[in-house]
């Protein structure tokens, strides 16, 4: 009885915002678990260095250590903690390193014993939640662990050995359509050519690369991630998305999203955003998940640490954000565990504070890498592994004050979370931009080198405004703002007017299938109302002035993007876009004979999942193929296009048909009949190639479409 009373009190006082997080309203604190705090001395061995000299050994940090420092993390006003991977890693050294970083998994259903267990993880989730913080875990579905060292790609299913890379190679067969040798893993050598086939089906730095289309692997990786969802995480950072099929990832995310409205962001490693690989169309057409803003990070650091034009930076950032449907869901950072820490590059603290302030005010969700607030910098070297020194706790610094102040502002003023991004003024050393969400506004003044008197056209109410960081004054009169901008400072002015009508700023996730729970963030929602998607009314699960939770209805549409709006007190909100998935998703291998085709080929089809152009890859076995996420048992047609992703695609005037029954779909010239089952003897892509080479292949060849080159 006493327990029940306590539970009821807890439920009563625990605000809903803790149960569902709107990612844009928050700040992420990134922790490398081993390097944060040793809360349990009994789990440090083996491969432990108690004096923290060898950066390639375990240093003792664990989940208990994070629990013990939650008050410290909370003092920075952050609302999400991103943990480095905590799944069970190999129990041996590889390439002279222990897997202290967590990226060499051997069991996706267990927690690494150096870090804790499921019980302690769940305690962490609950303790964090009490402080308004939710947990995001780093998950690594591209590869397990080194194929030729350590435990040789050994893989366990909750403690039971399944395979290793050597054993798996004996069972591997050639997929005739993709040209990949595969079973549980791919066996196509290491990535040497950083594009196309190798990028996805080769081993990344010698790490055993999963064949995610193998049904066992698919289910195993999904089940492993689901264990985290069941333990209460609010999202995932997905490692190495560049090296996996987007179609597989789409349905993997879709399955997770069906469980909770999670925030998932991917790591697509690319240090610039030049149009030289498929990142461009990954951004532009897929929008399957948020991305870490890796391509703009170096530009930001260079401009503050070394020099360079703020006007150029402004242009680059605007160009970068223009590729997203939801720029406010980009995940921005200054430091992380793969790049030299900013303060290893340059010691000028004023400039560091400026860069930090910028990351906190740009469109997107800011990440604070552990120790950014305490000026943590390795004494031994710059990049990996030296960017992972032991945490030094100090939340009384100027950096901590900036983080705290701007994290608080993000919670109060929706313009930082949901606002537009517009440059008001830019030259070499000065940049002023505005973030605007309805009547809420933030003005950011970035000024390097010399102090400067600015007179700007600004559509704010007359009055005197004080910047939230240093108290610098801005006077606005008749649409003109006067500011004396000090040297080497970022000023942040805030204006919080009442929203007159409902305004949606965020939708999480922004890809959904019928039955899925979704969260709308915004302002002016009032006490109750209705949600519509493409005019269809949705079931509302929760409603408050700034947040709505609803359930996705089934739609009758072939569109990729559908419109969402709300109505409250007779007022209608703006419409926001949602990527629609029409039904239960599965990954399918779509195949097309390549003998009469050349160049970059795309498909675009008549169901929502295929309504944005999808690029095909060409195999060395002369097929075009792509893994796509489709609703099961659905007939569809696709039109073919050619061209480069950043150019207008040219139609080839060829229509082909398919039906999502088998794991693999060969596109055909004729429509499938209602009773259609594709005449392929191969039920899964990982089954033996010998069946394909016999009668199966003859049947397939007779079905393959030979169409004219345009
Ligand atoms: C990217 C991670 O951030 C990096 O630290 C890791 O080594 C590789 N992916 C491989 O998992
Ligand atoms: Ca891969």
């Amino acid at each position: 009885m006493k327990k029940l009373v306590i539970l009821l009190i807890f439920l009563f006082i625990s605000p809903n915002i803790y149960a569902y997080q709107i990612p844009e309203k928050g700040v992420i604190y990134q922790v490398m678990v081993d390097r944060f705090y040793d809360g349990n001395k009994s789990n440090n061995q083996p491969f432990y260095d108690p004096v923290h000299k060898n950066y390639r050994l375990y240093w003792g940090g664990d989940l208990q250590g994070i629990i013990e420092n939650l008050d410290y993390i909370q003092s920075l006003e952050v609302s999400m903690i991103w943990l480095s991977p905590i799944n069970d890693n190999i129990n041996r050294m590889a390439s002279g390193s222990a897997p202290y970083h967590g990226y060499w998994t051997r069991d996706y259903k267990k927690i690494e014993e150096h870090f804790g267990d499921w019980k302690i993880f769940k305690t962490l989730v609950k303790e964090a939640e009490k402080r308004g913080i939710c947990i995001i875990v780093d998950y690594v579905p591209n590869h397990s662990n080194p194929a030729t060292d350590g435990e040789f790609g050994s893989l366990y299913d909750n403690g039971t050995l399944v395979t290793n890379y050597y054993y798996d190679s004996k069972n591997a067969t050639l997929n005739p359509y993709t040209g990949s040798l595969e079973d549980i893993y791919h066996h196509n050598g290491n990535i040497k050519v950083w594009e196309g086939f190798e990028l996805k089906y080769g081993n990344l730095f010698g790490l055993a690369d999963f064949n995610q289309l193998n049904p066992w692997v698919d289910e195993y990786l999904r089940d492993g991630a689901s264990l985290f969802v069941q333990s209460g995480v609010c999202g995932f950072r997905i490692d190495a998305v560049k090296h996996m099929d987007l179609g597989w990832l789409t349905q993997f995310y879709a399955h997770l999203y069906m469980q909770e409205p999670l925030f998932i962001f991917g790591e697509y490693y690319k240090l610039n955003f030049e149009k030289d690989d498929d990142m461009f169309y990954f951004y532009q057409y897929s929008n399957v998940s948020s991305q870490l803003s890796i391509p703009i990070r170096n530009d930001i650091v260079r401009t503050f640490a070394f020099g360079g034009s703020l006007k150029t930076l402004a242009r680059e950032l605007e160009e970068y954000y223009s590729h997203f449907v939801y720029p406010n869901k980009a995940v921005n950072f200054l430091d992380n565990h793969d790049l030299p820490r900013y303060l290893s590059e340059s010691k000028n603290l004023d400039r560091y504070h400026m860069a930090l302030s910028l990351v906190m005010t740009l469109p997107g969700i800011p990440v604070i890498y552990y120790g950014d607030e305490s000026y943590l910098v390795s004494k031994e070297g710059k990049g990996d592994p030296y960017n992972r020194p032991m945490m030094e706790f100090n939340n009384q610094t100027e950096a901590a004050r900036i983080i705290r102040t701007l994290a608080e502002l993000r919670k109060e003023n929706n313009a930082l979370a949901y606002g537009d991004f517009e440059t008001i003024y830019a030259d070499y050393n000065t940049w002023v931009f505005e973030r605007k969400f309805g009547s809420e506004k933030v003005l950011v003044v970035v000024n390097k080198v010399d102090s400067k008197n600015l007179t700007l056209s600004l559509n704010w109410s007359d009055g005197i405004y004080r910047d939230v960081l240093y108290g610098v004054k801005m006077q606005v009169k008749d649409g003109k703002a006067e500011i004396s901008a000090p040297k080497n400072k970022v000023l942040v002015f805030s204006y919080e007017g009442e929203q007159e009508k409902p305004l949606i700023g965020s939708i999480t996730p922004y890809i959904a299938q019928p039955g899925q729970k979704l969260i709308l963030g915004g302002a002016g929602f009032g006490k109750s109302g209705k949600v519509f998607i493409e005019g269809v009314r949705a079931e509302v699960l929760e409603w408050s002035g700034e947040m709505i939770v609803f359930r996705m209805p089934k739609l009758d549409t072939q569109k990729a993007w559908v419109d969402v709006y709300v109505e409250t007190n007779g007022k209608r909100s703006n419409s926001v876009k949602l990527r629609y998935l029409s039904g239960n998703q599965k990954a399918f291998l779509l195949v097309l004979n390549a003998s009469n085709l050349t160049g970059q080929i795309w498909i675009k089809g008549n169901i929502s999942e295929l309504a944005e152009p999808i690029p095909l890859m060409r195999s060395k076995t002369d097929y075009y193929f792509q893994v796509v996420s489709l609703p099961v048992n659905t007939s569809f047609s696709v039109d073919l296009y050619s061209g480069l992703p950043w150019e207008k695609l040219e139609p080839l005037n060829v229509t082909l048909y398919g039906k999502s029954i088998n794991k693999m779909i060969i596109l055909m010239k004729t429509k499938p009949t209602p009773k259609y089952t594709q005449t392929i003897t191969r039920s899964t892509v990982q089954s033996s190639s010998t069946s394909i080479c016999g009668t199966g292949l003859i049947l397939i060849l007779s079905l393959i479409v030979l169409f004219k080159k345009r």
Side-chain angles (χ1 to χ4, degrees):
M1 183 64 190
K2 203 171 147 199
K3 274 191 185 155
L4 186 69
V5 172
I6 293 171
L7 181 72
L8 286 174
I9 291 172
F10 177 69
L11 287 178
F12 186 65
I13 56 169
S14 161
N16 277 333
I17 196 88
Y18 291 2
Y20 303 109
Q21 295 279 351
I22 298 172
E24 291 94 326
K25 292 291 284 175
V27 173
I28 300 171
Y29 190 77
Q30 183 194 349
V31 170
M32 176 146 283
V33 177
D34 179 59
R35 302 294 156 93
F36 199 61
Y37 189 78
D38 187 357
N40 178 1
K41 304 259 180 273
S42 73
N43 60 14
N44 292 350
Q45 296 290 358
F47 315 123
Y48 173 54
D49 175 12
V51 292
H52 303 168
K53 281 276 176 274
N54 185 340
Y55 276 75
R56 292 183 169 82
L57 294 179
Y58 283 101
W59 285 8
D62 47 34
L63 296 176
Q64 182 59 36
I66 298 170
I67 294 175
E68 286 173 24
N69 287 287
L70 282 171
D71 288 342
Y72 172 90
I73 296 174
Q74 187 191 16
S75 77
L76 297 170
E77 293 291 334
V78 303
S79 55
M80 293 165 267
I81 299 174
W82 152 18
L83 300 179
S84 53
I86 54 168
N87 274 132
D88 185 24
N89 268 229
I90 55 170
N91 294 339
R92 293 201 192 137
M93 302 275 285
S95 318
S97 181
Y100 70 91
H101 43 68
Y103 289 99
W104 294 348
T105 317
R106 60 173 222 164
D107 196 333
Y108 287 73
K109 298 200 179 154
K110 288 198 159 209
I111 300 290
E112 166 58 39
E113 61 276 8
H114 283 86
F115 301 151
D117 54 24
W118 282 110
K119 188 160 172 264
I120 191 99
F121 179 68
K122 286 179 190 160
T123 307
L124 168 63
V125 170
K126 290 220 165 56
E127 285 301 314
E129 192 175 307
K130 284 184 197 161
R131 293 161 176 85
I133 296 173
C134 70
I135 303 292
I136 291 175
V137 285
D138 208 321
Y139 195 68
V140 194
N142 177 59
H143 51 261
S144 59
N145 53 75
T148 54
D149 200 353
E151 287 198 31
F152 303 94
S154 64
L155 189 67
Y156 293 77
D157 185 0
N158 202 16
T160 305
L161 181 66
V162 177
T163 193
N164 65 31
Y165 200 69
Y166 174 73
Y167 178 77
D168 192 62
S169 71
K170 296 188 169 178
N171 296 331
T173 54
L174 185 77
N175 183 318
Y177 306 105
T178 62
S180 166
L181 189 61
E182 60 199 22
D183 188 32
I184 281 180
Y185 291 121
H186 292 133
H187 296 271
N188 303 310
N190 287 346
I191 302 173
K192 290 176 286 298
V193 179
W194 291 82
E195 59 180 30
F197 176 87
E198 282 191 27
L199 206 59
K200 307 246 185 290
Y201 302 115
N203 288 348
L204 172 67
F205 308 128
L207 296 160
D209 197 62
F210 279 124
N211 171 20
Q212 289 89 356
L213 284 194
N214 175 312
W216 183 86
V217 175
D218 181 24
E219 196 180 329
Y220 172 73
L221 291 172
R222 196 191 301 158
D223 288 351
S226 299
L227 291 175
F228 284 112
V229 180
Q230 286 149 21
S231 304
V233 300
C234 62
F236 292 92
R237 181 264 193 193
I238 304 292
D239 192 59
V241 295
K242 181 178 177 174
H243 304 285
M244 288 175 278
D245 292 307
L246 184 56
W248 181 79
L249 280 170
T250 306
Q251 58 83 46
F252 173 67
Y253 296 162
H255 282 282
L256 298 174
Y257 288 148
M258 275 308 265
Q259 299 171 46
E260 284 297 333
L262 302 162
F263 176 49
I264 299 180
F265 57 98
E267 179 236 9
Y268 192 113
Y269 198 79
K270 188 172 196 298
L271 287 170
N272 57 49
F273 55 103
E274 275 158 24
K275 295 166 181 170
D276 59 3
D277 82 358
D278 61 357
M279 181 171 201
F280 194 79
Y281 44 74
F282 191 95
Y283 278 159
Q284 194 168 21
Y285 298 125
S286 81
N287 280 284
V288 164
S289 83
S290 299
Q291 301 282 333
L292 279 157
S293 301
I294 300 173
I296 55 172
R297 183 268 178 189
N298 276 1
D299 289 347
I300 295 174
V301 172
R302 197 183 322 115
T303 311
F304 289 93
F306 304 114
S309 162
L310 282 169
K311 191 171 181 173
T312 308
L313 182 67
R315 216 180 27 240
E316 283 171 352
L317 297 186
E318 273 159 17
E319 148 88 16
Y320 177 73
Y321 287 119
S322 73
H323 300 307
F324 297 90
V325 174
Y326 283 104
N328 283 317
K329 273 200 162 69
V331 183
N332 302 326
F333 64 96
L334 208 51
D335 284 341
N336 76 9
H337 59 298
D338 290 329
L339 297 163
R341 283 181 179 258
Y342 181 108
L343 291 172
S344 309
E345 303 276 29
S346 159
K347 300 267 175 276
N348 183 328
L349 282 190
D350 282 344
R351 291 293 183 84
Y352 173 67
H353 293 145
M354 290 183 81
L356 199 56
S357 306
L358 184 67
V359 167
M360 296 287 295
T361 49
L362 281 174
I365 300 145
V367 179
I368 304 300
Y369 186 40
Y370 77 100
D372 275 354
E373 73 280 19
S374 58
Y375 309 122
L376 187 61
V377 51
S378 147
K379 292 164 196 75
E380 287 79 359
K382 286 189 172 183
D384 169 6
Y386 305 106
N387 48 8
R388 305 157 181 188
M390 204 66 195
M391 173 60 177
E392 287 166 19
F393 292 87
N394 186 355
N395 58 5
Q396 299 305 311
T397 61
E398 174 65 358
R401 188 187 72 82
I402 290 172
I403 293 165
R404 198 167 16 241
T405 308
L406 295 177
E408 269 169 1
L409 184 64
R410 179 171 283 268
K411 288 177 197 162
E412 283 157 21
N413 188 327
N414 286 310
L416 276 188
Y418 311 136
D420 308 339
F421 174 52
E422 193 193 346
T423 292
I424 305 265
Y425 175 86
D427 65 26
Y428 197 90
N429 289 323
T430 309
W431 176 26
V432 183
F433 64 87
E434 188 184 32
R435 309 287 319 278
K436 197 158 96 204
F437 182 68
S439 53
E440 298 175 81
K441 297 166 191 175
V442 165
L443 189 78
V444 180
V445 180
V446 186
N447 188 41
K448 297 199 292 180
V449 186
D450 287 316
S451 55
K452 186 164 185 159
N453 291 329
L454 290 165
T455 304
L456 307 164
S457 291
L458 193 68
N459 191 14
W460 288 29
S461 314
D462 286 0
I464 290 180
Y465 298 82
R466 293 271 168 199
D467 121 76
V468 300
L469 287 175
Y470 309 100
V472 172
K473 194 172 85 175
M474 170 172 80
Q475 171 129 33
V476 179
K477 194 153 190 306
D478 301 332
K480 287 266 172 282
E482 305 276 349
I483 311 163
S484 291
K487 163 183 174 177
N488 279 340
K489 289 269 182 291
V490 169
L491 310 177
V492 182
F493 298 95
S494 165
Y495 177 79
E496 293 164 41
E498 271 298 300
Q499 300 285 9
E500 276 158 19
K501 60 173 210 146
L503 201 56
I504 305 173
S506 146
I507 183 160
T508 308
Y510 53 85
I511 183 164
Q513 55 184 313
Q516 196 178 305
K517 246 193 262 171
L518 291 141
I519 310 168
L520 292 175
F525 293 156
K527 290 198 171 64
S528 64
K530 296 174 190 158
V531 177
F532 294 93
I533 300 105
E534 277 310 274
V536 177
R537 199 168 156 189
E539 180 194 359
V540 171
L541 304 170
E542 279 180 42
W543 193 289
S544 68
E546 297 216 326
M547 190 182 79
I548 299 163
V549 184
F550 71 95
R551 200 178 292 288
M552 184 68 193
K554 176 112 185 111
L555 303 177
D556 183 15
T557 184
Q558 298 181 348
K559 288 198 219 166
W561 293 92
V562 293
D563 285 327
V564 182
Y565 65 87
V566 305
E567 272 178 15
T568 176
N569 294 328
K571 290 179 191 160
R572 182 172 162 162
S573 73
N574 57 326
S575 287
V576 295
K577 290 197 177 306
L578 175 68
R579 187 81 162 84
Y580 182 61
L581 302 173
S582 60
N584 185 22
Q585 300 290 298
K586 272 206 173 353
F588 293 86
L589 181 66
L590 217 61
V591 176
L592 165 66
N593 182 285
S595 51
N596 283 326
L597 290 168
T598 50
Q600 175 67 68
I601 302 293
W602 301 69
I603 51 166
K604 196 166 173 288
N606 68 344
I607 55 173
S608 296
E609 286 80 353
L610 301 171
E612 289 283 14
I614 296 175
L616 302 182
M617 290 206 275
R618 194 183 175 115
S619 73
K620 45 183 185 266
T621 49
D622 256 352
Y623 290 94
Y624 277 99
F625 69 95
Q626 187 55 278
V627 177
V628 288
S629 180
L630 296 175
V632 287
N633 208 5
T634 304
S635 302
F636 61 87
S637 69
V638 292
D639 293 326
L640 301 191
Y641 293 80
S642 72
L644 292 169
W646 42 88
E647 290 168 355
K648 195 169 172 296
L649 300 180
E650 291 291 326
L652 291 177
N653 300 322
V654 176
T655 303
L656 299 171
Y657 300 89
K659 188 168 182 180
S660 52
I661 297 181
N662 298 316
K663 268 274 182 195
M664 190 186 62
I665 305 166
I666 298 191
L667 292 172
M668 302 192 300
K669 212 173 176 181
T670 49
K671 277 189 188 171
T673 58
K675 281 200 175 152
Y676 165 95
T677 48
Q678 195 143 35
T679 344
I680 300 162
T681 49
R682 212 166 188 246
S683 58
T684 64
V685 289
Q686 113 287 6
S687 62
S688 161
S689 64
T690 46
S691 64
I692 284 289
C693 294
T695 48
L697 186 59
I698 295 161
L699 283 167
I700 289 159
L701 287 174
S702 64
L703 287 172
I704 285 170
V705 192
L706 294 172
F707 44 82
K708 281 197 206 111
K709 203 174 153 190
R710 222 168 58 103

